[in-house]
Amino acid sequence: MNQLHFPILSLITFIPLVGAFFIALVNEKNENLIKWFTFIILVIDFIVSLPLFFYFDPSTYHMQFVERIPWIKSLGFEYHVGIDGISLFLVLLTTFLTPLAQLSTWSAVDKKIKLFNIVILVMQTGMLGVFISIDAFLFYVFWEVQLIPMYLMIGIWGGPNRVFATMKFFLYTFAGSVLMLIALMALYFLNYHFTGTYTMDMVKLMEIPLPAHIQLWLFLAFFIAFAIKVPMWPFHTWLPWAHVEAPTAGSVILAGILLKMGTYGFLRFNLPMFPDMTHAFALLVIILSIIGIFYGAFVAMVQPDIKKLVAYSSVSHLGYSMLGMFALTQVGVEGSILQMLNHGISTGALFLIVGIVYERRHTRLISEYGGLASLVPVFAAFFMIFTLSSIAVPGTNGFVGEFMILLGAFLDKPIYGIIVAFGGLFSAVYMLTMYKRVVFLKVTNPKNLELKDMNKREWAYMLPLLLFVFWIGLYPNTFLSRMRVSVEHLLQQTNRSVKVIDKTQEAQLINTIVVKKG
Amino acid sequence: MSGILLFIVLAPLIGFVINGVFGKWTKPYAGIIASLALATSFILGLFPIMSVLNGNIVEHIYYTWLPFKEVAVPMGLRVDALSAVMLFVVTFVSTMIHIYSIGYMHGDPGYSRFFAYLNLFVTAMLILILGNSYVLMFVGWEGVGLASYLLIGFWYEKDTASDAGEKAFVVNRIGDAGFLIGVMFIIYYFGSATYADVFPRAEEVLSPAVATIIGLALFLGAMGKSAQFPLYIWLTDAMEGPTPVSSLIHAATMVTAGVYMVARSNAIFSLAPIAQEVVASVGAFTAFYAATMALTHKDIKRILAYSTLSQLGYMFIGVGIGAYWTGIFHLMTHAFFKGLLFLGAGAVMHSMRGLLSIDLMGGLKKHMPQTAILMVIASLAISGIPPFAGFFSKDAILAHALEFGHPIIWVVGEITAFMTAFYMFRFVFTVFYGEEKVPNLYHELHTHEAPSVMTLPMWALGILSIVGGFVGLHYGGSIPFEHLVTQIAPNTEIPNEAHYSEALLIGVSVTMGLLGILTAWLIYIKKILTAEGVARTFRPVYTLLANTYYVDEFVACCIVKPFWWVSRNLLWKIVDVEIIDKGGVDGAGWLASRIGFLLRYVQTGFVNHYAYWVSLGAIVLSGWYIVKII
C-alpha cells in the first residue's frame, strides 16, 4: 500500500546520496558552503520525511508507502521498501538526529571537512535504507553499506587510538554480519522449499513454518549478528572503544541510530520468523539483558572519561530495550521501541553535551572539570535536563519508556520487574556522581575559567531534543498509538504455533539447505 | 471546578518556568513572583476544600497519559477528605515559607534559582497529593525527590551540600524501587492504578498474602521518602540545604508523603495485618532511636532533623496501627510546629551569620525576643503540653495504640515523649536562656531580631501551633477531624478494642512531657546536674549517641566503598577489560591471525611444494580407500 502514490521513501533515502554527489563537486576550500549545503540537505530530508508521520495509517500492520521494483529477477530479489509502526519512528529518528549531529561538527571538525560531510550524507542513506527495506537482501546490502562511512568517520576523524577502535568496530560487526548472511541464504532456500518461489520478501519469509531445530540455528545466527550491534552484554566491548575514539557527531549517530539497527533486527527477524526459538531463548536473552542493565551501570559508575561513562550507560539502557522486547507483552515491546527512541534522544543529547565542552577544553576526563554551574549556567541546565531524562525521572521521556518495560517484564514474570526496579538506583548513582563532579563543586581547574557558555548554534541543536524529552514524557500517545497495531501483529506472529513436521520432511529440509548452500 | 483544580497545580509550575528560564531578569522580584504563585494555589485550593467539607469528592480527568493496552493511566486530579487536608497543609505552609524565604535568601546570588526550585517542589508535591492514581503519585514522588536533590545541593560549590543532595536522591531511589514494585503488583491484580478502581475492589481481589506483599513494597517507598530506619541516613545530611528548604521539604511536607501514602492505601493495609505491624514497629523504633540521637547533638539543625525523624515515627505508628486519621492529624500539627521550629532556627542562623553550634549560643532571648517566644510555643507543642497542637495529635496516636492492642508501642511512645520534651527544651534553654557563652560574639555579629517578612510567617505558624489541635477535640460526641478523614481512611476494625480511662492516658502523656522539660530545666538552667557530668558518667553510651551509632561510617566503609571497589577493580578492570575484551574478543582475533600465520606456511607459492601436498593427499586417500576395501 502506498497512500501517497509517490516514491517518498526512496526520495528520503536518496536525497542525501544525491547531495553527497553535489558536494563532491564543490571546491574543498569553500568550507562554509559545504557545511551549509550539507545541513540544508539534511533538513530538507527531515522535512520530506514528515509526511510519513502525518499520512501514516495506524490502523493497519501492513507495510505502508510501499515501492516495489524488480531488481535481480532471476533470483527474485527486489527493490522493495516500506514501513510499518515499528520502523516509522526509527526512520523519523534518523532524519531528525542527523542534521543536529551535523550541526555540532561545524567548528569541531577541522580537517577534511568536505569528505566528512560526504561521509555523513552517505551514512544517512545507508541507515535509512536499513530501516525501510522489506527485501531482506536489500536490507543486508544497506546494513553493510553503512558500516563503511562509520569506519571512515572513526578512522579518520577519531582520537589517538582510532585505528584500533575502528578495526575492532568493523571486524566485530562484520563477523556478526557474515553469520547473518548465511542465515539469510538459508532462509531464501527454505522458502523455495516450502513455497516453490524464490523471494527475499521479509513479510513472506516470516510465514515459513520452520521446524524447531532449523529455527535454532537461524535464530542463533541472527542473534549473534544483532546482539553485537545492540550491543548486548557480553558482546559490548567494542562500544566504549568506538565511542571514545569517535568524533562527537560519530558518537551521536552511533549511539542514536546505529545501535537501533540491532534492536530493530530482532524485531524484524528473530521474533516473527523464529517464534519457537524466541520463546525458548526468551529466558536467556532476558538474563543477559538484566545482567547488561546492572553491569553497564556498575562499570559506568567508575569510568574516569565522560564519554566512556555514557557508552557504558548505553549498554544499560539497551538492556532495558531488550528486556522489554523479550518479555513478549504488548506494553513491553512498545516500551522497547519507545526506549530506542528515548535512547537516541537522551544519549544523543548527552554526547552532544560532552562534545560542547570537549570542543572548548579538548578533554573528556571528569577530573578535569568541576564547578561548571557557575561558569556556564545554560550548559549546566541543559546537561541537568538530559541527565534527568537519562535516569528516567517522571515527566521526561526516559520514565515512560522504562516504566513500560518494567511493567511489560513484570506482566511476563513478576520477578523480572522486581529485580529491574532496582536498576534506577544505579543509573542515578553513575549519572549524578558524574554530574556532580563536572558541574557542581568548586572550580578547581583554572583552564575552565575561560569557558564560554553555549552559542546560538549549540542552542539550535539542543532545543529540538529538549522538546522531545517532554513531548514523549507528557504525551506518549502520539508515538504509542502508531505502534500499537504493528506490535500486536508482531506478537501474534511470535505466539503462533508452528506446524509440526515429521522426520522425513525434516531430513528433506536438511538436505535442501546442505545441498543448496554447498 | 476542573479548571480551578488544574490551576492549583499549574500556578507554581508557571512560577517555576518564569523564574527558571528568565531568572536573570526577574531576580529582584523572584521571591514575590514565587510567593504569588503559591498564594494563588492556596486560594484556589479553598474551593475544592469547601466542596469536600460538604461531603463531595472532586475528581477530574484531563487526558489519558499512558495509554497502554494492558492499563491506561489517566492524567487526573482528585480532592477527597484525605487530600484536602494535605492540600491545605501544603499550600498554606508553603506560602508562609516562600514569604519567609524572601527575607532569608535576600542577597543570595542564586535568588531566582532558589525560588524556581521551590516552586518546582510545590508543583511536584501537589501532583503527589492530588494525582488520582498511584502512577501520578509516583510522578510527584520522584518530582519532590528531584526538587529536594536540587535544593539540598543548592549551594553546589560546597562539596558537603552536593554530596548530601546526591545521597538523598540515591537513598530515595531504593524506596522508589519498592514503590514501583507495589504499583506494578496493583496493576497486575486490578488492571488499573486509579484509586477509584482499586480501593472499592481491594477486598474481593486481594488475598491477605498479596495485600501484605503490596503493603510492604509500598512501605519500602514510604521508608525512603519519610526517612524511616534504616533509610533515614539521607535526612540529617539534607540539612546542608538552605534552612527554609529544611523547614518546607524536610520537615513539613515532603517527608510526610510516606505517611500520606500509607493512609491513602488504607484499603490495602487494612487487609494486611502483618504489613501494618511492620509499619507500626518501624515507626515506633525510629521514633525512639532518632530521639536518642537528638539528645546529644550540638548542631541546631541536626537536632531538629533527628526530631523530625522521631515525629515521623509517631505518624507511622498512627497509620500502622490502623487509626489512619491520627497519623494524618499528627502530620498536620507537625507541619505547623516543626515548620516553625526550623524557621526559628533559620532566624537564629540568619542573625548569627550561619553559626550552628549550640555551644556558641545562649541568652539570645534578649536579642531575638519574638523568635524566642515562638520557639517556646513550638517546643511546647512538640512536647505534647496542652492546649498546644502537638498534644492532641500525639495523644490521639498513643491512646489508639493502646486501645488497638499495642501496649509495647505505647510504652515506647511515652518514653520517646519524655526524650522529646527534654531535647527540645535543652535546645531552647541553651540557645535562648542562660548566659552568653562567647563574650562579645553577638556584638560582633550584630545579632538582631529577624525582619518582619520573616517573623510574620512564623507568627502564622505559631498561631496554628497553638490552635491547630482543636479540630481534634470532642464536639457533641464526635471529633471533627476524625469524622472528616475516616470518610476516606476508615480505621481498621479491631476485634477486641480495649478501653482505658481517657484522663489517665492524658495524665501519663502530659506527665512525660513535663518531666522532660523539668529535667532539661534542672540541667541547663539550674545546673543541678551538669551535662558534662552526665556525659562522663555514661561515657560509652554518650560516645555512641554523639556519633549517631556510627551508622554513616558503617554505610561508607561496608557498603559504599566495597561496592565501588568491586565495580572498579573487579567488574571493570578484570571482567570487562581483561576477560571479555582482551580474552574473548581480542583473543578471538588473535586466534584467527595465528591460524592464518600457520596456514601461511602452506601457501608458499612454490609449485613443487604444492605438488608434494597433492601427492601426500593422493597417498592418504588411496590408503584410506585400500583399508576400506580390505
Side-chain angles (χ1 to χ4, degrees):
Chain A
M1 172 179 88
N2 187 344
Q3 50 267 63
L4 290 175
H5 306 291
F6 174 75
I8 183 169
L9 286 175
S10 299
L11 192 66
I12 297 166
T13 309
F14 292 105
I15 283 178
L17 195 65
V18 173
F21 176 74
F22 281 110
I23 286 190
L25 302 177
V26 178
N27 187 332
E28 192 152 348
K29 301 237 168 60
N30 217 339
E31 291 176 357
N32 266 331
L33 178 70
I34 294 173
K35 287 172 189 166
W36 273 104
F37 190 65
T38 312
F39 179 64
I40 288 169
I41 288 170
L42 289 167
V43 170
I44 289 173
D45 203 30
F46 174 63
I47 293 170
V48 172
S49 71
L50 286 178
L52 295 184
F53 177 80
F54 293 109
Y55 288 93
F56 185 82
D57 176 6
S59 65
T60 173
Y61 60 82
H62 290 293
M63 291 291 169
Q64 307 187 27
F65 309 101
V66 172
E67 297 161 39
R68 192 163 191 176
I69 306 164
W71 179 16
I72 307 176
K73 269 190 190 156
S74 56
L75 297 175
F77 297 168
E78 288 173 305
Y79 177 80
H80 186 184
V81 296
I83 54 171
D84 63 358
I86 294 169
S87 47
L88 168 68
F89 288 108
L90 292 171
V91 171
L92 291 172
L93 177 71
T94 309
T95 55
F96 169 73
L97 210 53
T98 314
L100 304 181
Q102 195 266 351
L103 204 52
S104 77
T105 64
W106 282 29
S107 55
V109 171
D110 48 8
K111 64 171 184 182
K112 299 187 182 157
I113 289 170
K114 181 171 151 183
L115 184 60
F116 186 84
N117 284 298
I118 291 175
V119 163
I120 285 194
L121 289 169
V122 173
M123 186 148 50
Q124 175 83 335
T125 297
M127 293 183 301
L128 287 167
V130 169
F131 294 130
I132 63 168
S133 297
I134 300 179
D135 188 272
F137 185 69
L138 191 65
F139 173 88
Y140 183 78
V141 170
F142 280 120
W143 175 279
E144 296 295 1
V145 159
Q146 54 75 26
L147 267 185
I148 298 161
M150 185 45 88
Y151 171 80
L152 291 176
M153 188 176 271
I154 301 173
I156 298 176
W157 294 274
N161 271 323
R162 57 182 181 267
V163 177
F164 182 76
T166 199
M167 282 308 284
K168 188 169 215 155
F169 161 74
F170 192 87
L171 290 179
Y172 208 162
T173 328
F174 197 74
S177 319
V178 171
L179 290 173
M180 179 165 76
L181 180 63
I182 297 168
L184 276 175
M185 284 178 353
L187 270 175
Y188 178 69
F189 291 116
L190 281 166
N191 182 58
Y192 177 72
H193 176 84
F194 280 100
T195 62
T197 51
Y198 286 115
T199 182
M200 273 292 203
D201 186 342
M202 281 182 200
V203 183
K204 294 263 166 53
L205 296 182
M206 288 172 194
E207 287 159 8
I208 320 175
L210 294 171
H213 68 279
I214 291 181
Q215 280 190 29
L216 171 69
W217 294 109
L218 297 178
F219 181 92
L220 281 178
F222 280 109
F223 174 80
I224 290 173
F226 298 138
I228 290 171
K229 197 80 176 176
V230 167
M232 287 185 74
W233 188 88
F235 303 106
H236 65 277
T237 50
W238 63 270
L239 187 73
W241 276 101
H243 270 311
V244 168
E245 300 304 327
T248 300
S251 289
V252 174
I253 292 173
L254 182 62
I257 306 165
L258 254 58
L259 303 187
K260 307 306 170 311
M261 292 182 185
T263 41
Y264 174 71
F266 276 108
L267 289 171
R268 269 284 180 266
F269 291 91
N270 291 48
L271 264 61
M273 291 182 191
F274 319 118
D276 297 311
M277 286 305 116
T278 302
H279 285 280
F281 276 90
L283 181 64
L284 177 74
V285 177
I286 284 174
I287 289 173
L288 289 183
S289 308
I290 292 177
I291 293 177
I293 290 170
F294 286 95
Y295 178 95
F298 293 164
V299 177
M301 203 171 75
V302 294
Q303 295 305 318
D305 181 313
I306 308 176
K307 250 187 155 179
K308 238 180 183 168
L309 187 149
V310 181
Y312 278 106
S313 85
S314 292
V315 176
S316 182
H317 281 144
L318 288 160
Y320 278 100
S321 190
M322 292 305 297
L323 170 69
M325 191 186 299
F326 276 83
L328 298 173
T329 47
Q330 178 86 20
V331 61
V333 177
E334 283 179 23
S336 167
I337 301 174
L338 196 67
Q339 176 82 352
M340 294 180 205
L341 305 182
N342 289 342
H343 180 260
I345 291 164
S346 317
T347 308
L350 284 173
F351 278 123
L352 289 170
I353 289 272
V354 180
I356 290 174
V357 282
Y358 180 76
E359 202 183 314
R360 290 156 170 69
R361 286 273 285 101
H362 295 284
T363 176
R364 287 184 298 251
L365 289 181
I366 294 172
S367 54
E368 287 280 319
Y369 296 102
L372 298 195
S374 53
L375 303 170
V376 283
V378 177
F379 170 82
F382 274 102
F383 196 175
M384 173 52 85
I385 293 170
F386 291 114
T387 300
L388 297 176
S389 153
S390 177
I391 62 177
V393 168
T396 65
N397 55 349
F399 173 71
V400 179
E402 277 189 23
F403 184 69
M404 290 175 78
I405 289 165
L406 271 182
L407 189 61
F410 188 92
L411 295 176
D412 182 21
K413 291 215 174 54
I415 187 70
Y416 303 151
I418 292 171
I419 294 172
V420 179
F422 288 91
L425 167 65
F426 301 105
S427 63
V429 173
Y430 68 75
M431 283 311 288
L432 293 184
T433 307
M434 184 263 278
Y435 189 84
K436 177 182 77 189
R437 289 181 187 163
V438 172
V439 176
F440 288 161
L441 308 179
K442 280 196 188 62
V443 184
T444 45
N445 193 333
K447 286 182 198 156
N448 291 328
L449 290 171
E450 308 282 298
L451 279 178
K452 291 212 169 55
D453 214 335
M454 283 166 57
N455 59 33
K456 286 198 185 99
R457 186 172 50 83
E458 285 157 348
W459 271 87
Y461 63 73
M462 295 314 288
L463 269 183
L465 291 164
L466 200 65
L467 172 74
F468 279 93
V469 166
F470 293 110
W471 186 349
I472 301 179
L474 297 175
Y475 195 73
N477 197 24
T478 320
F479 305 89
L480 298 179
S481 63
R482 287 172 171 76
M483 296 172 192
R484 173 126 324 146
V485 178
S486 295
V487 172
E488 269 171 12
H489 177 65
L490 174 69
L491 285 172
Q492 273 168 15
Q493 288 179 312
T494 310
N495 292 330
R496 72 176 183 233
S497 64
V498 171
K499 190 175 71 184
V500 185
I501 300 179
D502 62 35
K503 282 276 174 197
T504 48
Q505 271 176 308
E506 263 187 32
Q508 274 180 350
L509 274 172
I510 295 169
N511 238 5
T512 322
I513 304 175
V514 174
V515 172
K516 294 283 179 182
K517 248 195 280 182
Chain B
M1 192 62 105
S2 76
I4 293 179
L5 209 51
L6 186 63
F7 211 72
I8 295 173
V9 180
L10 282 187
L13 187 66
I14 294 168
F16 162 68
V17 172
I18 293 176
N19 281 330
V21 178
F22 308 106
K24 217 197 249 173
W25 299 280
T26 61
K27 203 166 184 180
Y29 321 105
I32 296 168
I33 293 170
S35 307
L36 277 179
L38 251 286
T40 315
S41 268
F42 174 66
I43 292 165
L44 289 177
L46 295 176
F47 292 96
I49 291 174
M50 288 311 290
S51 174
V52 167
L53 290 178
N54 291 328
N56 303 318
I57 290 177
V58 186
E59 184 163 0
H60 283 283
I61 290 173
Y62 298 93
Y63 67 93
T64 307
W65 175 40
L66 303 176
F68 308 150
K69 195 181 173 199
E70 287 86 349
V71 58
V73 180
M75 193 64 97
L77 300 174
R78 170 192 169 104
V79 184
D80 55 23
L82 194 55
S83 37
V85 174
M86 295 297 288
L87 177 61
F88 175 78
V89 171
V90 168
T91 49
F92 178 76
V93 176
S94 300
T95 311
M96 292 306 128
I97 292 174
H98 272 65
I99 296 171
Y100 173 94
S101 305
I102 296 176
Y104 187 85
M105 295 303 287
H106 183 74
D108 192 283
Y111 189 68
S112 43
R113 187 165 57 95
F114 178 81
F115 282 100
Y117 290 167
L118 221 50
N119 271 352
L120 175 69
F121 165 74
V122 180
T123 311
M125 191 69 203
L126 288 172
I127 293 174
L128 194 161
I129 55 180
L130 298 182
N132 70 342
S133 72
Y134 276 105
V135 182
L136 276 185
M137 193 201 273
F138 185 76
V139 171
W141 193 267
E142 284 253 301
V144 290
L146 165 65
S148 157
Y149 160 77
L150 292 170
L151 283 163
I152 295 169
F154 179 73
W155 288 309
Y156 54 80
E157 294 195 338
K158 272 165 73 185
D159 51 354
T160 46
S162 288
D163 287 346
E166 191 190 338
K167 185 173 179 184
F169 198 93
V170 169
V171 174
N172 263 299
R173 276 249 160 151
I174 301 176
D176 292 354
F179 192 152
L180 266 178
I181 292 168
V183 172
M184 289 189 291
F185 267 108
I186 288 168
I187 293 176
Y188 188 78
Y189 282 99
F190 293 91
S192 170
T194 317
Y195 303 144
D197 295 335
V198 172
F199 298 139
R201 289 171 50 216
E203 213 166 337
E204 63 176 284
V205 173
L206 298 179
S207 66
V210 175
T212 308
I213 292 172
I214 297 178
L216 291 177
L218 290 177
F219 183 57
L220 180 61
M223 283 161 75
K225 192 68 49 195
S226 295
Q228 294 299 288
F229 184 87
L231 298 184
Y232 70 91
I233 45 174
W234 62 273
L235 186 68
T236 43
D237 287 7
M239 297 300 126
E240 290 290 338
T243 308
V245 172
S246 312
S247 172
L248 176 60
I249 301 184
H250 305 119
T253 56
M254 182 187 84
V255 288
T256 61
V259 180
Y260 166 74
M261 186 245 261
V262 175
R264 174 56 85 193
S265 315
N266 62 79
I268 295 167
F269 277 93
S270 288
L271 296 171
I274 297 173
Q276 284 188 309
E277 199 69 43
V278 170
V279 174
S281 311
V282 169
F285 178 74
T286 309
F288 177 82
Y289 171 80
T292 58
M293 293 189 284
L295 294 176
T296 55
H297 239 285
K298 302 216 157 155
D299 175 323
I300 53 175
K301 281 183 76 179
R302 290 193 184 229
I303 295 172
L304 294 179
Y306 282 116
S307 158
T308 305
L309 290 175
S310 173
Q311 298 298 311
L312 286 167
Y314 275 110
M315 295 175 212
F316 277 109
I317 297 176
V319 293
I321 55 173
Y324 301 99
W325 73 274
T326 59
I328 296 296
F329 189 21
H330 198 56
L331 184 161
M332 180 175 82
T333 58
H334 176 259
F336 301 144
F337 60 70
K338 184 55 67 64
L340 175 57
L341 282 171
F342 267 109
L343 294 188
V348 171
M349 283 170 65
H350 191 66
S351 62
M352 299 280 288
R353 305 271 171 95
L355 291 179
L356 282 166
S357 173
I358 55 172
D359 281 346
L360 299 172
M361 298 167 192
L364 265 179
K365 193 170 68 113
K366 260 181 287 175
H367 303 274
M368 311 181 70
Q370 291 191 54
T371 308
I373 294 170
L374 284 162
M375 290 297 266
V376 171
I377 292 173
S379 300
L380 287 169
I382 195 176
S383 306
I385 306 299
F388 295 94
F391 161 74
F392 296 97
S393 52
K394 190 187 283 184
D395 191 58
I397 290 174
L398 292 178
H400 277 83
L402 202 53
E403 284 171 7
F404 284 14
H406 300 275
I408 298 171
I409 289 179
W410 178 77
V411 172
V412 173
E414 292 294 356
I415 296 171
T416 309
F418 165 78
M419 292 195 287
T420 309
F422 172 77
Y423 68 67
M424 273 328 301
F425 276 87
R426 165 177 176 258
F427 178 107
V428 169
F429 290 146
T430 45
V431 172
F432 294 100
Y433 291 83
E435 313 280 298
E436 280 186 39
K437 296 209 182 70
V438 184
N440 273 333
L441 179 71
Y442 297 151
H443 184 69
E444 279 165 30
L445 295 174
H446 297 290
T447 301
H448 55 85
E449 182 56 88
S452 49
V453 69
M454 288 164 70
T455 49
L456 285 178
M458 286 165 69
W459 276 110
L461 291 176
I463 290 165
L464 282 177
S465 301
I466 301 171
V467 302
F470 295 158
V471 291
L473 280 172
H474 284 275
Y475 294 100
S478 81
I479 298 171
F481 193 82
E482 180 183 12
H483 180 73
L484 178 72
V485 176
T486 47
Q487 291 169 6
I488 297 298
N491 292 350
T492 308
E493 281 163 35
I494 304 290
N496 309 309
E497 206 172 302
H499 286 283
Y500 294 88
S501 150
E502 202 165 322
L504 183 72
L505 292 182
I506 292 175
V508 174
S509 289
V510 175
T511 315
M512 283 302 187
L514 290 175
L515 269 179
I517 297 173
L518 183 70
T519 318
W521 183 71
L522 289 176
I523 294 180
Y524 295 100
I525 300 287
K526 283 280 142 192
K527 307 221 184 257
I528 289 177
L529 289 164
T530 62
E532 290 74 24
V534 178
R536 219 176 300 118
T537 323
F538 301 100
R539 164 121 345 248
V541 180
Y542 178 82
T543 324
L544 193 65
L545 292 181
N547 290 293
T548 59
Y549 298 97
Y550 298 98
V551 171
D552 278 327
E553 287 79 358
F554 170 79
V555 171
C557 85
C558 299
I559 299 174
V560 177
K561 270 196 190 153
F563 179 59
W564 280 78
W565 190 89
V566 167
S567 293
R568 185 188 312 273
N569 295 315
L570 188 70
L571 285 181
W572 180 36
K573 291 193 173 155
I574 295 179
V575 175
D576 206 65
V577 173
E578 295 296 332
I579 298 179
I580 299 180
D581 196 35
K582 286 206 179 131
V585 180
D586 295 353
W590 178 84
L591 198 67
S593 73
R594 275 288 112 178
I595 292 169
F597 191 70
L598 289 175
L599 288 178
R600 213 170 66 181
Y601 291 110
V602 181
Q603 199 94 10
T604 51
F606 295 108
V607 179
N608 49 347
H609 289 178
Y610 294 153
Y612 296 148
W613 285 114
V614 171
S615 29
L616 188 68
I619 292 166
V620 170
L621 271 179
S622 47
W624 180 68
Y625 195 65
I626 290 164
V627 169
K628 215 179 152 193
I629 290 172
I630 296 168

